[in-house]
Amino acid sequence: ESLYSYSFNLKDGEWETWMRNEKKFEITRDLEYSQIVVPTVDSVRYSRLLAMLMDNKTHVLFTGDTGTGKTVNINQYLAGPLKREEYSPINIIFSAATSANQVDDFLTEKLEKRRSLVYGP
């Protein structure tokens, strides 16, 4: 275990594991296999950090090894607790072949020109 295995609870003034307040995970029969997301220490940590950073209007960039749940956790947040009145999510999938011009074109398609050099949702 390391420092990253714990979060600090300001209310109680003590360190606790990330999983301490997680509900018991159960798979219901109505879920399809692709809908099952088992909470792990990493996924709970990612989710809580994402929520905290978004609540504080801080830019977020997740990096890490393949298969650690970054995309799943972000998509769950975008589909759930994201404040729709403040944010309009746009999903962009990058690859080694993605160019800056492609990203610019994609984002420009999603915005409307309000006046010279000013774009908005």
Side-chain angles (χ1 to χ4, degrees):
E1 291 189 15
S2 72
L3 176 64
Y4 302 110
S5 301
Y6 298 91
S7 65
F8 191 75
N9 183 325
L10 290 173
K11 182 180 173 188
D12 297 337
E14 62 184 25
W15 291 95
E16 61 187 25
T17 64
W18 289 99
M19 300 299 283
R20 180 176 177 184
N21 296 317
E22 288 300 303
K23 297 175 190 167
K24 183 181 177 200
F25 178 73
E26 294 183 15
I27 299 173
T28 58
R29 294 197 178 275
D30 61 326
L31 287 177
E32 293 183 26
Y33 181 76
S34 62
Q35 295 175 311
I36 299 171
V37 180
V38 179
T40 64
V41 173
D42 290 329
S43 67
V44 170
R45 180 175 41 232
Y46 281 139
S47 297
R48 288 197 196 157
L49 289 172
L50 175 60
M52 179 184 65
L53 291 167
M54 292 296 293
D55 287 346
N56 288 287
K57 300 186 180 354
T58 303
H59 297 281
V60 181
L61 175 65
F62 280 110
T63 63
D65 295 333
T66 302
T68 56
K70 298 177 299 292
T71 302
V72 170
N73 284 293
I74 292 168
N75 284 337
Q76 282 183 333
Y77 184 82
L78 294 175
L82 178 71
K83 297 173 184 166
R84 296 285 178 194
E85 61 279 358
E86 293 182 35
Y87 298 99
S88 299
I90 299 173
N91 291 330
I92 304 174
I93 298 172
F94 291 92
S95 74
T98 305
S99 71
N101 287 337
Q102 288 173 314
V103 174
D104 184 58
D105 291 343
F106 182 81
L107 292 173
T108 304
E109 286 175 7
K110 302 292 183 185
L111 301 172
E112 64 183 50
K113 189 170 187 173
R114 297 194 175 168
R115 55 195 149 136
S116 178
L117 302 176
V118 176
Y119 292 85

